[in-house]
């Protein structure tokens, strides 16, 4: 893997974001809308319910911000790929000395940068507007962040692979894929509150352990280490599986001669 | 691995070995063989659907052949794709650099990908050569077809390639710009002993730029030779007539009889 090539590809996205401020708005606008709507709804519910229900606003806003970290990581990978498709640049990249791992590595870094921007803005608004400080998660924030980042990258590879396989008609998967998983990873509610049939599915997905862990930390300041171990282990499997699937689809696309049609359509 | 500094003018730098590519049972490319030597400009001609694009895609590693193989600089393309692509480049009328970036930004990105030393100076030198230094600060998506082609050519020459593949570089250009592009290609090719594979539907391009020509018809090579040879063999007035004969009838021009040895 050549880091010079990765940096060059990242530079292309940095140029893109600095040249087109509307993309920065997109990066910030939807998360802020989500945060404000959820924040207001949560405050309303909390004011009109049992005072023992004290952690409700923390759970909701914490879940929302952590979910957005995962979503932005996935978007970093999938949208970066689509940017190359939309600008008919994909062919230029594929005939340049760029390894698949370098291309994917660059989209991972773009995902990381997107998260950094979004997280700072959301963290600030939730602190100022709702007295919720994401840093109250303390040292746990880092492993939470890394695990959600890894699962977001895996989903990004999965989305990109499916778009490669089914063409631009499948573009909407870039936005839809994370939401296939949202109902079963316990973002806003506990696994025990989910229907019994869906609970085993939830425990097979790494983000479930992170969102459950987040609620534990907020309630008691502690988290079960085995949750972190499960999340990390499952993430390794998910990333390896998504990477292998992406590589296989790319090879099949070349074998079927679809890469150039896809890149120039 | 052969040295990139090698300049043996007879060195074969690109070779297709019995390349066949089928799509749903239809042979888009059928037992395609050829060699491109250092310093040679080889025209790949044929009507729409003759197999040129499939051949180009196989030669770039974008499409895998059903059978056969490609080698460049003595290396197998499938196994040494990155090493080969470092020494090659590509320009097509059908691809674009990202339209939302400035020309300078796009070229900087590709210069870094190729690891071009002193990238800014190299970009300036090539933009001067193609008479477009004034475009550096322009938004790529707002360029005219002629400007865009020349910017793509700058990108294709950034890494001082030994092998250049040009896919219809003068498509949609006016005669003046097309003439400038041909002259630049020929000049750069001569100065650097570049091997160029050139596809075009513009026979003027082929006559002016190519040393040798391969005609494809339904995926097969139907004739091969210098433009002058082909005219003589077909008793045609122009290469355009040769093209039409082959495109319509798949006419095979016989090789000239081998002169008796002394």
């Amino acid at each position: 893997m050549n880091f010079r090539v990765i940096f060059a590809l990242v530079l292309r996205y940095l140029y893109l974001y600095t040249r087109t401020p509307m993309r920065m708005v997109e990066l910030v606008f939807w998360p802020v809308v989500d945060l404000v709507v959820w924040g207001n709804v949560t405050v309303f519910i909390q004011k009109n319910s049992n005072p023992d229900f004290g952690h409700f606003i923390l759970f909701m806003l914490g879940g929302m911000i952590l979910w957005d970290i995962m979503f932005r990581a996935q978007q970093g990978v999938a949208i970066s790929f689509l940017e190359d498709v939309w600008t008919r640049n994909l062919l230029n990249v594929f005939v340049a000395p760029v390894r698949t791992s370098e291309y994917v590595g660059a989209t991972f870094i773009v995902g990381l940068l997107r998260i950094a921007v979004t997280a700072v803005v959301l963290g600030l608004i939730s602190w100022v507007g709702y007295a919720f400080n994401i840093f109250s998660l303390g040292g746990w924030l880092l492993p939470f962040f890394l695990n959600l980042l890894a699962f977001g990258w895996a989903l990004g590879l999965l989305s990109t692979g499916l778009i490669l396989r089914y063409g631009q008609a499948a573009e909407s998967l870039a936005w839809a894929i994370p939401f296939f998983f949202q109902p079963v990873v316990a973002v806003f509610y506990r696994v025990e509150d989910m229907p019994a049939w869906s609970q085993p599915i939830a425990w097979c997905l790494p983000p479930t352990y992170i969102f459950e862990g987040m609620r534990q930390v907020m309630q008691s300041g502690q988290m079960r280490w085995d949750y972190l171990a499960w999340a990390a282990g499952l993430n390794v499997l998910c990333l390896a599986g998504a990477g292998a699937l992406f590589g296989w689809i790319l090879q099949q696309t070349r074998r079927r001669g679809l890469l150039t049609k896809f890149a120039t359509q | 691995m052969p040295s990139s500094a090698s300049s043996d003018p007879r060195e074969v730098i690109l070779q297709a070995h019995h390349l066949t590519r089928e799509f749903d049972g239809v042979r888009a490319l059928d037992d395609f063989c050829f060699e491109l030597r250092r310093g040679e400009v080889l025209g790949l001609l044929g009507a729409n659907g003759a197999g040129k694009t499939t051949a180009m895609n196989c030669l770039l590693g974008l499409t895998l052949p059903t059978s056969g193989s490609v080698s460049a600089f003595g290396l197998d393309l499938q196994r040494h794709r990155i090493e080969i692509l470092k020494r090659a480049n590509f320009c097509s009328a059908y691809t674009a650099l990202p339209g939302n970036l400035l020309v300078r930004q796009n070229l900087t990105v590709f210069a870094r990908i190729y690891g071009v030393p002193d990238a800014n100076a190299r970009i300036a030198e090539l933009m001067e050569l193609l008479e477009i230094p004034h475009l550096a600060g322009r938004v790529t998506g707002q360029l005219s077809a002629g400007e865009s082609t020349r910017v793509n050519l700058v990108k294709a020459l950034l890494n001082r390639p030994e092998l250049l593949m040009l896919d219809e570089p003068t498509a949609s250009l006016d005669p003046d710009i097309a003439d400038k592009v041909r002259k630049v290609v020929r000049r750069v090719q001569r100065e650097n002993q570049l091997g160029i594979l050139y596809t075009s539907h513009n026979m003027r391009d082929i006559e002016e730029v190519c040393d040798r020509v391969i005609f494809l018809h339904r995926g097969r090579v139907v004739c091969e030779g210098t433009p002058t040879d082909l005219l003589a063999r077909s008793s045609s007035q122009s290469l355009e007539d040769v093209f039409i004969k082959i495109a319509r009838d798949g006419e095979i021009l016989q090789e000239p009889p081998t002169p008796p040895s002394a």
Side-chain angles (χ1 to χ4, degrees):
Chain A
M1 202 183 296
N2 187 330
F3 289 98
R4 186 201 71 233
V5 173
I6 294 177
F7 176 73
L9 292 169
V10 171
L11 183 66
R12 171 219 177 313
Y13 297 109
L14 291 181
Y15 280 148
L16 184 68
Y17 280 93
T18 50
R19 280 245 350 117
T20 38
M22 281 312 286
R23 283 172 201 273
M24 293 299 285
V25 172
E26 174 258 340
L27 207 58
V28 171
F29 177 74
W30 294 115
V32 169
V33 168
D34 273 351
L35 183 78
V36 172
V37 170
W38 280 97
N40 291 346
V41 168
T42 314
V43 169
F44 169 73
I45 293 173
Q46 199 168 13
K47 277 183 179 171
N48 293 284
S49 61
N50 188 331
D52 295 341
F53 212 41
H55 288 98
F56 190 61
I57 192 163
L58 297 182
F59 290 173
M60 293 300 276
L61 293 183
M64 201 249 126
I65 291 174
L66 291 190
W67 167 260
D68 215 74
I69 286 174
M70 197 190 85
F71 181 65
R72 296 291 145 192
Q74 179 271 348
Q75 292 273 288
V77 179
I79 302 297
S80 302
F81 171 77
L82 281 175
E83 292 277 5
D84 280 325
V85 174
W86 293 330
T87 55
R88 292 197 302 150
N89 186 45
L90 203 59
L91 220 54
N92 284 320
V93 174
F94 278 107
V95 299
V98 177
R99 291 178 180 83
T100 308
S101 56
E102 290 158 355
Y103 185 77
V104 169
T107 64
F108 281 4
I109 294 173
V110 174
L112 194 61
L113 296 175
R114 288 174 67 110
I115 291 168
V117 173
T118 307
V120 166
V121 174
L122 290 189
L124 208 61
I125 293 176
S126 60
W127 182 48
V128 173
Y130 305 98
F132 170 73
N133 182 4
I134 187 74
F135 291 102
S136 64
L137 291 170
W140 295 104
L141 192 59
L142 185 64
F144 289 175
F145 176 84
L146 292 176
N147 274 289
L148 293 171
L149 186 67
F151 192 69
W153 284 345
L155 289 188
L157 281 176
L158 175 68
S159 326
T160 308
L162 292 174
I163 295 167
L164 253 181
R165 170 65 185 80
Y166 295 104
Q168 272 182 278
E171 258 182 37
S172 58
L173 290 176
W175 290 270
I177 289 275
F179 292 99
F180 291 152
F181 291 88
Q182 195 185 42
V184 287
V185 293
V187 183
F188 300 114
Y189 36 78
R190 295 170 303 183
V191 174
E192 66 185 75
D193 300 325
M194 292 167 60
W197 61 266
S198 62
Q199 292 181 14
I201 301 173
W203 290 121
C204 290
L205 296 165
T208 304
Y209 296 91
I210 299 305
F211 290 113
E212 283 287 301
M214 174 201 77
R215 284 184 283 270
Q216 283 183 6
V217 172
M218 285 175 172
Q219 239 170 347
S220 64
Q222 291 302 315
M223 182 188 167
R224 284 171 53 178
W225 282 98
D226 61 326
Y227 275 17
L228 266 188
W230 273 105
L234 287 170
N235 266 326
V236 169
L237 289 179
C238 288
L239 259 181
L245 181 72
F246 178 77
W248 180 77
I249 290 175
L250 186 60
Q251 187 69 357
Q252 290 302 310
T253 309
R254 279 200 172 111
R255 201 175 294 284
R256 299 170 66 206
L258 296 176
L259 191 57
T260 42
K261 280 187 185 166
F262 183 61
T264 55
Q265 68 189 350
Chain B
M1 186 169 142
S3 157
S4 59
S6 165
S7 58
D8 176 0
R10 289 177 305 173
E11 182 197 354
V12 174
I13 57 169
L14 180 65
Q15 201 168 18
H17 312 266
H18 304 286
L19 219 49
T20 295
R21 175 66 224 199
E22 289 182 4
F23 292 106
D24 301 323
V26 177
R27 286 200 165 187
L29 206 57
D30 190 357
D31 200 33
F32 178 54
C33 297
F34 85 96
E35 286 181 351
L36 172 69
R37 293 176 186 278
R38 188 177 292 281
E40 180 184 37
V41 184
L42 176 63
L44 193 58
L45 301 188
N48 293 330
K52 302 185 303 292
T53 304
T54 304
M56 194 70 112
N57 291 342
C58 287
L59 295 170
L60 285 163
L62 294 168
T63 296
L64 298 181
T66 309
S67 63
S69 62
V70 175
S71 59
F73 311 112
L75 302 168
D76 178 72
L77 179 64
Q78 289 312 313
R79 288 196 297 170
H80 300 277
R81 194 165 166 269
I82 297 297
E83 290 97 312
I84 290 170
L85 291 177
K86 281 178 186 169
R87 299 167 64 181
N89 214 316
F90 169 74
C91 171
S92 168
Y94 306 108
T95 61
L97 294 171
N100 30 24
L101 299 194
L102 302 179
V103 168
R104 186 192 309 110
Q105 292 175 327
N106 269 319
L107 294 173
T108 302
V109 168
F110 278 94
R112 285 175 183 269
I113 287 176
Y114 283 97
V116 176
D118 202 358
N120 290 340
R122 177 68 178 155
I123 291 169
E125 175 196 341
L126 288 170
M127 292 191 85
E128 194 70 47
L129 177 71
L130 281 139
E131 300 175 21
I132 50 167
H134 57 288
L135 299 183
R138 292 267 303 275
V139 179
T140 310
Q142 292 174 1
L143 302 179
S144 68
E147 290 169 337
S148 185
T149 298
R150 284 184 283 174
V151 170
N152 284 343
L153 263 175
V154 171
K155 174 248 146 196
L157 295 169
L158 276 173
N159 60 326
R160 302 180 195 275
E162 296 162 67
L163 167 64
L164 186 57
M165 300 201 209
L166 300 177
D167 186 17
E168 302 194 30
T170 60
S172 76
L173 298 187
D174 70 49
D176 174 45
I177 302 293
D179 181 61
K180 282 183 178 167
V181 167
R182 282 192 294 269
K183 285 192 165 67
V184 167
V185 168
R186 205 52 174 154
R187 182 179 152 193
V188 172
Q189 183 268 331
R190 283 193 182 125
E191 285 175 358
N192 302 284
Q193 282 296 294
L194 260 175
I196 300 182
L197 186 67
Y198 197 108
T199 75
S200 179
H201 284 142
N202 181 343
M203 293 306 112
R204 180 88 184 264
D205 273 13
I206 301 300
E207 283 166 9
E208 277 190 29
V209 176
C210 297
D211 302 311
R212 193 160 59 91
V213 171
I214 289 178
F215 266 100
L216 281 173
H217 181 70
R218 293 184 184 162
R220 293 189 72 89
V221 175
V222 289
C223 67
E224 185 176 349
T226 64
T228 323
D229 275 351
L230 296 184
L231 284 176
R233 274 192 262 159
S234 67
S235 317
S236 299
Q237 295 297 310
S238 68
L239 212 51
E240 195 149 320
D241 289 340
V242 180
F243 184 98
I244 291 169
K245 276 182 185 174
I246 292 172
R248 289 185 183 163
D249 314 320
E251 184 174 320
I252 298 175
L253 307 183
Q254 297 303 321
E255 292 287 333
T258 313
S261 54

